[in-house]
Amino acid sequence: MTTRKTPDKAREVAGVLLAAGGGRRLGGRPKALLLHRGRPLVEHAVRVLREGGCTRVHVVLGARSEEVRERAALPDCVLVDNPGWEQGMGTSLRAGLDSLAGTGARAALVSLVDQPGIGAAAVARVLGAHKGEESLVSAAYDGVRGHPVLFGAAHWAGIAATATGDRGARAYLKEHEPAIALIECGDVARPFDIDTEADLAHLE
């Protein structure tokens, strides 16, 4: 009798952190370098992905990328430069997905650097719902879709073709809404963004 080996979700799913934003409404301070608990915010976001179960993490950088590399400790991460970051988040999402080619990843779990209220528990829940290359999984907050989002590899080409400006995968997800598994995370995470000076109060 042969035993079928259960796929290792942590190996099949790569964490993709979008951290390229220039913080235009924050006086041009890159979000990756905002301080949270005494360290650059990008470090916190990577740690959340790892603690949530992503054993490999690709970080998409853009604004002042060299400074981010110098100031942030990002060991064992794949650092992806997005020269078109000023055109919007869609370019960073495409760069992140492109960086997974040839890695063996079957899905990408995408998170945003400027959402420190979303921790490892939400990442773990979304990761736990991954079933294969056809998976589309999204965290939800009181039933409303948010981040992180998991894209099975079968969807990457379609997402890349429609990810423009700051919309990211919004158009693709709307078109494929019936296929999305919504995983409620409102009890373990807060999905606020760090966009304005007032939002900095959320940082510790």
Side-chain angles (χ1 to χ4, degrees):
M1 177 179 171
T2 58
T3 302
R4 185 179 178 185
K5 189 175 181 181
T6 302
D8 184 346
K9 291 182 180 181
R11 294 182 63 83
E12 291 186 355
V13 182
V16 175
L17 176 63
L18 305 186
R24 180 175 49 84
R25 286 182 285 173
L26 293 167
R29 285 176 287 175
K31 293 182 179 182
L33 291 176
L34 294 174
L35 291 183
H36 183 55
R37 300 173 184 170
R39 295 297 303 165
L41 189 55
V42 65
E43 290 183 14
H44 169 79
V46 167
R47 185 167 61 252
V48 164
L49 285 172
R50 288 224 166 98
E51 291 177 354
C54 295
T55 57
R56 49 180 166 172
V57 177
H58 290 222
V59 182
V60 182
L61 302 177
R64 285 158 54 183
S65 61
E66 288 306 315
E67 187 176 349
V68 176
R69 289 170 183 267
E70 291 170 6
R71 291 178 51 189
L74 302 170
D76 302 321
C77 290
V78 175
L79 303 183
V80 181
D81 284 311
N82 173 21
W85 65 269
E86 290 182 281
Q87 298 172 33
M89 186 174 65
T91 62
S92 290
L93 179 56
R94 291 201 304 270
L97 294 178
D98 286 348
S99 74
L100 299 179
T103 66
R106 298 182 65 208
L109 191 149
V110 179
S111 66
L112 307 180
V113 75
D114 67 344
Q115 293 190 323
I118 298 177
V123 171
R125 284 187 185 179
V126 172
L127 177 62
H130 166 250
K131 299 185 185 307
E133 294 188 359
E134 299 290 337
S135 291
L136 274 179
V137 186
S138 175
Y141 301 90
D142 295 327
V144 178
R145 193 177 72 239
H147 283 86
V149 183
L150 184 144
F151 304 118
H155 301 281
W156 294 353
I159 292 168
T162 58
T164 59
D166 279 321
R167 292 184 304 163
R170 195 177 307 163
Y172 188 88
L173 290 173
K174 186 173 182 179
E175 183 181 342
H176 295 80
E177 196 161 359
I180 302 171
L182 290 180
I183 307 298
E184 182 59 45
C185 294
D187 58 322
V188 295
R190 295 179 298 147
F192 57 81
D193 298 322
I194 306 296
D195 282 333
T196 67
E197 292 285 343
D199 296 332
L200 295 176
H202 290 300
L203 299 177
E204 299 172 14

